[in-house]
Amino acid sequence: MLLGDAIVTFFKRQLQPPRKKFFSRLGSWWDKGIALLALANLILVLFDLSYIPLRDFWLQGKVQLFLKIGPLEREFPDPPLRILPFRVSDWYDWVKGIEPHRDTKQYLQLVKELNQKISQVALPTLNSPRQNPNRVEAETVDRILKELRDRSAEMVDTNPFLIANKTGTLERIKNKIRERVFGTKNVSSKEAFYRFWNREYLREKGFRQELNFFDREIKPLIETNYYRPVGENGEPVDNFGLLDFPFFLVFLFDFLVRTFSIGRRHTGVSWFDAMLWRWYDVFLLIPLFRWLRVIPVTIRLNQAGLIDLHAIQKQARQGFVANIAEDITEVVVVQIIDQLQSTIRQGEIANLLSRQNVRKYIDLNQVNETTEIIKLAMNTIVYQVLPKIRPDLEALLQYNIRKAIAQSPAYESIRLLPGLERLQTNLTEQLTKQIYQGFWKAMTVLLKEDPAFDKLLERSIANFSQIVRSEFQAEHSLEKIETLLIDLLEEIKINYIQRLSQEDIEKILEQTRAIRQVTQTSK
């Protein structure tokens, strides 16, 4: 039984790491897949948002710039440059509810029918239809031309391009007809259309040549017109929600799974808190402001390791810090100075000197820290500092003693006696050693544990503090000091805080980056 348990435990231990590795790899691939799917959805959203403004391109697959500077008008390139070999609009118009405009569609249908009839009828028949057996077809051509003249006048009057917000296209059509017929734009567009769709004009200029001009220059502009019905909500018909709904289901499933996992993995985090944790994913679920999906898409691509935004994040954080550091620095320093001024105005200095604090002083360890600090400093000086600088101190003492002896009037009268200089040197050295030894012994005696000395020291410190407080309070010295301190702090705010706030934040950030780099390198 024990052997069987050992075998089962062994196999569990062997299988557990591969299992964890498998689920970790599966989670990584899921993150990458969802990130790429979100990217595809974002591209579709951006395409949908740009479809109406760029529909002329998706319709014809051509690129041509129309430039107008005052009276100067140019189209570049001429002819238009074809980019797409097919019409995207044939597949996507239904998403935006776009339909061919009835009037312009019938207009182009008439032109197409006219082209077919002209191809069937010989030119002599068009010149003299009553003396030719094909006069029926020639009369049909005349009927089509008359209808085109009528529809052209109606198009100018009613402007069927208005619904699609393409009135500018109609103006380009009228200008092209004017220049083609009369060579100028300062004429009536109705008259230009009337003359263009006239058999005499077409016979004079050439039927095929003029119709080729229409197919090349006018027809593409008329084709761009469309009709978009309005729904019951008062907005143009838009079926993009049908395309977006499958993405919505996938993103909703992923959002619920992730938030549930966060709630289970972290203690004290509710499901609602987990949803707030993944707040940016909400933009993938709402049908409004779809362009905001760029936020979760960017975050997901970075989390999945498909793009690296650490450098951008670092620069963005530094830029944010650089923008607010100046204001924060100024606010913090000014607040500190204001607090100091308020403290002085409230009489805290007087309370400190008079020991008349409103709040009772709290002693945490029943130790007089001031006395202990003084004793610790003296102990360090006597046992650590003085032995190391003893030669320097003795040399200093010897110099002062020699100087004092040399300046003595008695020494001036006997300094010429034999052996006196040697005596002076020996005397100086002995005095120096005795003075140093006496001072050092006195200090060591003071540092020995002596309760009476401790009391005397505490009393001396207390008396010194009391005398200082009394002297400062006399003759209104304290009030003068407080006033001067408040004025000094105010001058610091005016003269130096602005300079501090205008420090080169980029230099500070550069120093911070250098320190961080050194720290990371040393790890």
Side-chain angles (χ1 to χ4, degrees), residues 147-295:
E147 190 171 355
L148 284 173
R149 290 193 295 269
D150 296 338
R151 286 188 175 273
S152 297
E154 182 183 357
M155 181 172 65
V156 173
D157 291 334
T158 61
N159 187 11
F161 293 81
L162 181 61
I163 298 178
N165 196 23
K166 300 182 73 66
T167 302
T169 302
L170 178 60
E171 291 300 319
R172 292 182 62 190
I173 294 172
K174 293 191 293 185
N175 288 336
K176 286 180 178 291
I177 288 294
R178 291 183 183 119
E179 290 184 344
R180 184 69 177 182
V181 175
F182 295 105
T184 178
K185 298 178 182 178
N186 299 323
V187 294
S188 171
S189 59
K190 289 184 180 181
E191 184 177 351
F193 273 114
Y194 185 86
R195 185 173 180 183
F196 184 84
W197 296 121
N198 188 281
R199 184 153 58 94
E200 284 73 17
Y201 173 82
L202 294 175
R203 182 186 61 191
E204 177 185 352
K205 298 295 184 179
F207 279 87
R208 183 50 53 196
Q209 181 179 352
E210 295 303 303
L211 290 178
N212 287 340
F213 160 78
F214 183 90
D215 291 340
R216 184 181 65 255
E217 300 289 341
I218 307 300
K219 180 182 177 182
L221 296 176
I222 296 179
E223 283 180 335
T224 61
N225 190 35
Y226 60 86
Y227 172 74
R228 194 177 179 191
V230 177
E232 295 181 355
N233 59 354
E235 298 293 333
V237 174
D238 193 340
N239 299 317
F240 182 77
L242 298 177
L243 292 180
D244 194 48
F245 186 69
F247 292 97
F248 167 79
L249 293 179
V250 177
F251 296 147
L252 179 61
F253 173 76
D254 177 74
F255 179 73
L256 295 177
V257 171
R258 288 180 183 275
T259 53
F260 179 75
S261 176
I262 291 173
R264 292 288 301 274
R265 189 166 58 250
H266 298 278
T267 304
V269 177
S270 64
W271 199 348
F272 181 75
D273 294 335
M275 290 181 180
L276 295 179
W277 196 312
R278 303 282 301 187
W279 61 269
Y280 49 85
D281 283 341
V282 176
F283 294 118
L284 295 173
L285 306 177
I286 59 177
L288 302 176
F289 306 107
R290 291 189 175 98
W291 56 272
L292 288 175
R293 295 182 184 183
V294 66
I295 298 174

Side-chain angles (χ1 to χ4, degrees), residues 131-150:
Q131 299 176 4
N132 194 289
N134 291 329
R135 61 185 178 85
V136 176
E137 285 77 4
E139 291 175 355
T140 303
V141 170
D142 290 338
R143 179 185 58 80
I144 295 175
L145 290 174
K146 181 181 183 306
E147 190 171 355
L148 284 173
R149 290 193 295 269
D150 296 338

Side-chain angles (χ1 to χ4, degrees), residues 422-437:
R422 177 72 177 177
L423 178 63
Q424 176 191 359
T425 302
N426 294 334
L427 180 62
T428 301
E429 291 178 355
Q430 291 179 5
L431 287 174
T432 301
K433 292 180 179 179
Q434 290 178 2
I435 291 173
Y436 178 82
Q437 290 292 338

Side-chain angles (χ1 to χ4, degrees), residues 3-18:
L3 179 61
D5 293 341
I7 294 174
V8 171
T9 303
F10 172 78
F11 278 105
K12 282 185 177 180
R13 291 179 179 177
Q14 295 297 321
L15 292 176
Q16 190 173 8

